[in-house]
Amino acid sequence: MDPFRFTIQARSGRARVGLLTTPHGRVETPLFMPVGTQGSVKGLLPKDLKAIGSQVLLANTYHLLLRPGPERVQALGGLHRFAGWDGPWLTDSGGFQVMSLGHLRRIDEEGVVFQSHLDGSLIRLTPERSIAIQEALGADFIMAFDECPPYPSSPEYLKASLERTLRWLERSLKAKTRPDQALFGIAQGGTDAGLRALSTRETLRFDLPGYAIGGLAVGETKEEMFPMVALSTEILPEAKPRYLMGVGHPEDLVAAMGLGVDLFDSVYPTRTGRFGSALVPEGRINLKNAQYLEDKRPLEEGCDCYACQTFSRAYIAHLVRAEEMLGGILLSLHNLRFLHRLTERAREAIRQGSYGAFAREFAERRFGKEI
Ligand SMILES: CNc1nc2c(CC[C@H]3O[C@H](OC)[C@H](OC)[C@@H](OC)[C@@H]3OC)c3nc(N)[nH]c(=O)c3cc2[nH]1
């Protein structure tokens, strides 16, 4: 039986609730995936991630390749055992990170050659090697090796790049050996509607358990990004999960869920937490701001997370100013819980057939008044 079944449980407009089975349990979509770049969601214990409703964690092929190395992770039982998370994992293919982190030396038909951002050593990544690394790491969801073109790119570059990404997808699929891992293809095409449609249609020629919308959230405006999301979900098959890579602002999740996106990842909630900010329905509050030093209220009234149930804004503002680790930990915990509650409420609204009302209420609180 297919280890990765996806069934639609409810619909409301283009939004849908899905049930995605994996070898490490069933997850409900739409869902937000916390990023654990080096095999850990910074500052948070796996048991606390479970408690706040995290379902799928992300790890980074590029980072884990450099340190500790996929062979070590494999020898230690793979990501689930190594990092103490027995729910599903997703790993990216490493292409994007090379563009954004490594010192890219060359990109050609074979793959990419880059300098490690750690010690400057030269490393080559090809579709075959990316899949081998992801198989050693043992994630449940693995990504095809692709190129996420820089923004902006010329139409000529976008077209050549998406065509190479399609050839790399074929090579990624051929290199895959584990039936207990789901390989997602990644559509590209930048913000050019014709090329986005072309890449998405060509990616669909490969019958895969899910498809990612790539090449977005790389600096383009929302006005450029969302038409590409809408175009993509019009073309992508209803029956397969859609993963919008790198998108994590609450309002962007609400808009994209309304357009039929099922899976999201972003460093935003944990990174902004480490920098001292809390996500709230009105937007974001920065606890470094002196106004919070006497504020007895929780980060967010009504939030059920440990940070909101136990501490005041004043205490967390103190921790942030004192550069106490606990400040970033509590804010990361709250921010992830905030996104998980958002997707929980979204799933409930979809089941009630009232996603439109949910999105309107969200927008009124988010944009209705100044904080
Ligand atoms: C932000 N906008 C954003 N992120 C895109 C990521 C990377 C997601 C990646 O983004 C961080 O890596 C840098 C995360 O680590 C910090 C990774 O989590 C492990 C996450 O992997 C799924 C893309 N990855 C691929 N392979 N292809 C893409 O087209 C693409 C587009 C993105 N846009």
Side-chain angles (χ1 to χ4, degrees), residues 6 8 11-17 29-30 211 213 229-230 232-234 236-238 240-244 253-264 350 355:
F6 181 66
I8 307 280
R11 281 185 176 77
S12 176
R14 293 172 62 175
R16 74 263 193 88
V17 169
T29 64
Y211 299 92
I213 303 169
V229 177
S232 300
T233 55
E234 276 153 27
L236 290 169
E238 280 271 309
K240 299 288 180 69
R242 295 92 172 249
Y243 167 22
L244 178 54
L253 262 66
V254 173
M257 286 189 285
L259 290 170
V261 174
D262 308 298
L263 301 168
F264 300 89
I350 294 166
Y355 189 76

Side-chain angles (χ1 to χ4, degrees), residues 92-122:
D92 198 2
S93 47
F96 181 89
Q97 287 72 37
V98 171
M99 312 301 165
S100 61
L101 290 176
H103 307 294
L104 181 65
R105 296 294 294 274
R106 201 175 72 249
I107 178 167
D108 57 26
E109 189 59 31
E110 188 52 19
V112 298
V113 179
F114 61 96
Q115 261 189 306
S116 157
H117 72 288
L118 292 180
D119 63 12
S121 58
L122 277 191

Side-chain angles (χ1 to χ4, degrees), residues 162 166 187-204 227-228 231-232 234-236:
L162 75 86
L166 286 163
Q188 296 293 346
T191 55
D192 177 301
L195 294 175
R196 174 64 57 175
L198 171 68
S199 173
T200 306
R201 286 201 183 90
E202 289 299 308
T203 303
L204 284 180
M228 296 301 107
L231 169 63
S232 300
E234 276 153 27
I235 299 170
L236 290 169

Side-chain angles (χ1 to χ4, degrees), residues 35 37 58-60 90 92-93 96-97 100 146 148 186 188 214-218 243 245-246 265 267:
V35 168
T37 304
L58 258 56
N60 224 306
L90 183 149
D92 198 2
S93 47
F96 181 89
Q97 287 72 37
S100 61
D146 66 328
C148 174
I186 306 177
Q188 296 293 346
L216 298 176
V218 287
Y243 167 22
M245 304 188 86
D265 91 270
V267 295

Side-chain angles (χ1 to χ4, degrees), residues 10-136:
R11 281 185 176 77
S12 176
R14 293 172 62 175
R16 74 263 193 88
V17 169
L19 199 55
L20 183 53
T21 58
T22 80
H24 286 89
R26 292 187 324 184
V27 297
E28 277 195 333
T29 64
L31 66 84
F32 179 80
M33 305 183 281
V35 168
T37 304
Q38 305 188 95
S40 128
V41 179
K42 291 179 173 32
L44 299 181
L45 301 176
K47 71 179 179 67
D48 292 336
L49 287 166
K50 226 29 150 208
I52 62 169
S54 298
Q55 300 184 80
V56 182
L57 295 190
L58 258 56
N60 224 306
T61 295
Y62 167 82
H63 292 82
L64 293 171
L65 168 64
L66 301 188
R67 180 174 55 186
E71 302 76 14
R72 271 209 189 106
V73 176
Q74 185 170 35
L76 290 158
L79 270 175
H80 299 84
R81 182 81 196 80
F82 184 57
W85 177 261
D86 60 2
W89 281 91
L90 183 149
T91 45
D92 198 2
S93 47
F96 181 89
Q97 287 72 37
V98 171
M99 312 301 165
S100 61
L101 290 176
H103 307 294
L104 181 65
R105 296 294 294 274
R106 201 175 72 249
I107 178 167
D108 57 26
E109 189 59 31
E110 188 52 19
V112 298
V113 179
F114 61 96
Q115 261 189 306
S116 157
H117 72 288
L118 292 180
D119 63 12
S121 58
L122 277 191
I123 294 158
R124 158 175 290 281
L125 257 191
T126 63
E128 294 77 13
R129 181 137 194 251
S130 171
I131 296 303
I133 292 164
Q134 295 182 79
E135 295 203 334

